[in-house]
């Protein structure tokens, strides 16, 4: 094999220019296990390697030199970025953190050049995807350039970036035949709520198709035409029940997964997690974690309204909700805050002035609010309604 490549390299070195196929072939040779250091001059001739990257290929660059390349202290032309990334993955795996930071600074066009280069096929595109699974720009290019496949989607299903998970949840052509990936996404607390609904539908359709196929193969559907029409409905109900059971088990496993997280992991999840994750973390005994959930940009007004209507919601969450102007613009949230038994009196006394007369009347008769608030409600009701004592 080495002899064959040596002959090929000798043929290429005598050329003045290479066509696209020859350039692609020459670049791909760098991914071989065979050491081509003796032919470095050929790669340098066609500007595939320069002095810096040639040293990296031969393993002669020190860790500090590689780190300086990735941080920009040693400047390199962007044309060599793809081979630098490849060579770090090949020879300098202890520099992955620096490589990750380097890649995260790159724009889409350069990411495209890297992803589509001949260096990233097979295991190297897998290494790169595992490293960049939380970078939405990277995943976007990966999909748009047709480099995505089942193996890579399995890696991306472990992402903690909701935008990445949203993208791969829409890859129906891959997901529709892979229950394991669907379950992995359903189990991921960062998967967006809209995507969860879509994934459950895909899973149901997959399960139904499998059941129909099984029924045909076992001749369970070899009956009269009238009976054939009834069987699918029966199957639908059976499949629906089975899938619901599977999804319930996934939710229970997710609950355990979140409970076992370290506090720092819970805080990260609180900021970016989906509705199921938010609901669990709002009940966490660590106040910092539950308060962080309220900063999640995906939390909805309905969730906040449910919180202020629940008597079990603790005071520290009630206070934090009252500080959020966006939440407090909603009437039902203001009303729920006033009527909540754990709302501090200074907050409820201020908010009651913004309620409708009928709701003020209701509070004036409530046994669940402090007497001071109740008396204030009565005075307000009489003033606004024109009622007499």
């Amino acid at each position: 094999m080495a002899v064959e490549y040596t002959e090929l390299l000798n043929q290429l070195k005598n050329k003045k220019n290479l066509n696209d196929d020859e350039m692609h072939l020459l670049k791909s040779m760098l991914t071989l296990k065979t050491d081509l250091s003796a032919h470095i001059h050929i790669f340098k001739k066609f500007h595939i390697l320069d002095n810096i990257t040639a040293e990296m290929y031969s393993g002669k660059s020190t860790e500090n030199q590689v780190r300086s390349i990735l941080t920009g202290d040693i400047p390199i032309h962007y044309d060599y970025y793809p081979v630098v990334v490849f060579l770090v993955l090949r020879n300098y795996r202890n520099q992955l953190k620096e490589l990750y930071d380097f890649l995260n600074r790159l724009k889409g066009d350069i990411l495209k050049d890297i992803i589509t280069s001949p260096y990233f096929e097979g295991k190297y595109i897998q290494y790169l995807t595992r490293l960049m699974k939380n970078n939405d720009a990277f995943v976007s290019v990966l999909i748009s350039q047709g480099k995505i496949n089942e193996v890579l989607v399995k890696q991306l299903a472990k992402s903690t970036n909701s935008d990445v998970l949203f993208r791969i949840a829409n890859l129906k052509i891959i997901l529709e035949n892979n229950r394991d990936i669907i379950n992995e996404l359903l189990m991921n607390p960062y998967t967006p709520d809209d995507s969860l609904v879509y994934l459950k539908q895909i899973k149901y359709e997959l399960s139904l198709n499998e059941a129909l196929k099984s029924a045909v193969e076992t001749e369970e559907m070899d009956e009269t035409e009238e009976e054939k029409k009834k069987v699918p409905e029966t199957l639908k109900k059976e499949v629906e029940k089975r899938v619901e059971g599977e999804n319930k088990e996934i939710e229970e496993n997710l609950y355990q997964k979140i409970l076992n997280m370290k506090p720092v992991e819970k805080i990260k999840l609180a900021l970016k997690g989906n509705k199921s994750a938010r609901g669990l973390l709002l009940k966490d005994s660590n106040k910092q974690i539950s308060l962080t959930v309220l900063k999640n940009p995906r939390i909805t007004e309905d969730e906040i309204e449910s919180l202020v209507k629940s008597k079990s919601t603790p005071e520290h969450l009630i206070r934090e909700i009252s500080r959020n102007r966006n939440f407090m613009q909603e009437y039902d949230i203001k009303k729920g805050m006033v009527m909540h038994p754990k709302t501090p009196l200074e907050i409820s006394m201020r908010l009651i002035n913004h309620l409708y007369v009928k709701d003020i009347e209701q509070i004036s008769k409530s046994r669940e609010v402090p007497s001071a608030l109740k008396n204030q409600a009565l005075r307000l009701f009489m003033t606004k309604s024109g009622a007499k004592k």
Side-chain angles (χ1 to χ4, degrees):
M1 182 68 74
V3 175
E4 292 179 10
Y5 283 111
T6 299
E7 291 177 355
L8 183 56
L9 285 166
N10 286 331
Q11 292 173 17
L12 293 176
K13 76 175 183 179
N14 295 320
K15 293 194 172 189
K16 290 184 177 181
N17 297 297
L18 300 182
N19 60 38
D20 290 344
D21 290 339
E22 290 170 333
M23 184 65 78
H24 187 283
L25 177 61
L26 192 57
K27 287 181 177 180
S28 65
M29 286 185 190
L30 291 177
T31 67
L32 299 172
K33 292 183 179 179
T34 305
D35 185 5
L36 301 176
S37 296
H39 305 279
I40 285 290
H41 61 284
I42 301 175
F43 295 93
K44 292 171 73 173
K45 173 183 177 179
F46 295 107
H47 306 292
I48 292 173
L49 297 175
D50 61 2
N51 290 332
I52 294 174
T53 51
E55 291 286 299
M56 290 180 67
Y57 176 81
S58 301
K60 295 178 181 178
S61 296
T62 66
E63 291 182 12
N64 285 336
Q65 287 173 329
V66 174
R67 189 178 299 112
S68 295
I69 291 168
L70 295 174
T71 57
D73 292 335
I74 296 179
I76 56 171
H77 194 276
Y78 63 81
D79 285 346
Y80 293 103
Y81 282 8
V83 74
V84 166
V85 174
F86 161 69
L87 290 173
V88 172
L89 291 173
R90 182 179 185 266
N91 296 337
Y92 300 92
R93 299 297 291 276
N94 56 345
Q95 300 292 320
L96 289 183
K97 182 183 181 302
E98 289 75 12
L99 177 60
Y100 176 77
D101 293 338
F102 170 78
L103 289 166
N104 273 318
R105 293 194 297 269
L106 302 182
K107 295 181 179 179
D109 288 344
I110 298 178
L111 286 174
K112 177 182 174 182
D113 291 340
I114 293 171
I115 290 170
T116 57
S117 68
Y119 312 116
F120 295 101
E121 301 290 344
K123 65 179 181 180
Y124 285 105
I125 190 64
Q126 292 176 36
Y127 294 158
L128 188 59
T129 300
R130 191 179 305 133
L131 179 67
M132 299 298 290
K133 67 179 182 293
N134 291 323
N135 185 301
D136 184 51
F138 172 86
V139 176
S140 175
V141 174
L142 197 66
I143 294 172
S144 67
Q145 295 305 306
K147 300 280 284 190
I148 199 74
N149 56 44
E150 185 177 306
V151 174
L152 300 185
V153 171
K154 283 182 179 178
Q155 294 179 339
L156 293 172
K158 295 178 174 61
S159 175
T160 57
N161 185 319
S162 297
D163 293 329
V164 167
L165 294 167
F166 177 80
R167 288 185 188 280
I168 64 172
N170 284 288
L171 297 174
K172 188 175 182 180
I173 193 169
I174 292 177
L175 297 178
E176 63 185 356
N177 294 311
N178 200 307
R179 185 189 305 275
D180 290 341
I181 297 179
I182 294 174
N183 287 338
E184 183 78 37
L185 288 166
L186 291 175
M187 183 71 177
N188 191 326
Y190 290 93
T191 302
D193 298 307
D194 290 345
S195 296
L196 291 176
V197 174
Y198 182 59
L199 288 165
K200 288 176 181 179
Q201 180 61 32
I202 295 177
K203 183 177 179 180
Y204 169 73
E205 292 172 0
L206 172 60
S207 300
L208 184 59
N209 289 334
E210 290 174 346
L212 287 168
K213 183 179 179 181
S214 177
V216 170
E217 290 175 350
T218 56
E219 298 184 350
E220 290 179 4
M221 297 181 68
D222 189 18
E223 301 172 351
T224 65
E225 289 300 319
E226 188 65 29
E227 289 172 328
K228 284 182 181 179
K229 293 179 181 179
K230 295 179 181 179
V231 172
E233 289 301 321
T234 304
L235 280 176
K236 284 181 181 179
K237 290 181 180 179
E238 291 176 357
V239 169
E240 195 172 316
K241 185 176 180 180
R242 184 171 73 249
V243 171
E244 285 179 359
E246 291 175 1
N247 291 341
K248 185 176 181 181
E249 184 177 346
I250 287 173
E251 289 177 7
E252 291 172 354
N253 291 336
L254 175 61
Y255 176 73
Q256 288 300 321
K257 181 178 180 179
I258 294 175
L259 281 182
N260 294 330
M261 285 182 174
K262 297 177 182 178
V264 66
E265 294 174 319
K266 288 183 178 181
I267 289 173
K268 179 182 177 182
L269 180 60
L271 276 173
K272 299 181 179 180
N274 58 29
K275 187 176 181 179
S276 295
R278 294 195 294 269
L280 291 172
L281 293 177
L282 280 168
K283 300 174 184 176
D284 198 279
S285 57
N286 185 321
K287 289 184 179 181
Q288 185 182 4
I289 292 170
S290 57
L291 286 171
T292 302
V293 176
L294 298 180
K295 298 177 183 177
N296 188 314
R298 288 183 168 83
I299 198 166
T300 65
E301 292 168 0
D302 287 343
E303 289 173 78
I304 299 300
E305 187 177 338
S306 295
L307 275 176
V308 299
K309 286 183 177 180
S310 172
K311 294 179 182 179
S312 63
T313 300
E315 182 181 329
H316 70 276
L317 290 181
I318 294 295
R319 282 187 177 276
E320 189 64 24
I321 291 170
S322 73
R323 297 188 183 105
N324 189 301
R325 291 183 179 181
N326 291 329
F327 296 157
M328 299 312 298
Q329 286 178 357
E330 296 300 314
Y331 182 82
D332 288 336
I333 293 176
K334 279 190 285 193
K335 176 184 172 183
M337 291 281 288
V338 174
M339 301 187 72
H340 198 284
K342 294 176 185 175
T343 301
L345 188 60
E346 71 271 16
I347 295 175
S348 54
M349 291 286 272
R350 170 169 50 83
L351 293 176
I352 196 172
N353 293 297
H354 302 284
L355 300 187
Y356 297 141
V357 173
K358 62 182 180 64
D359 293 324
I360 294 174
E361 181 183 16
Q362 180 184 352
I363 294 169
S364 71
K365 298 176 181 178
S366 175
R367 296 181 179 179
E368 297 182 347
V369 299
S371 57
L373 179 64
K374 187 175 179 179
N375 291 335
Q376 175 66 5
L378 181 59
R379 285 193 292 271
L380 276 173
F381 171 69
M382 296 182 70
T383 300
K384 292 190 174 187
S385 66
K388 297 181 180 180
K389 294 183 179 180

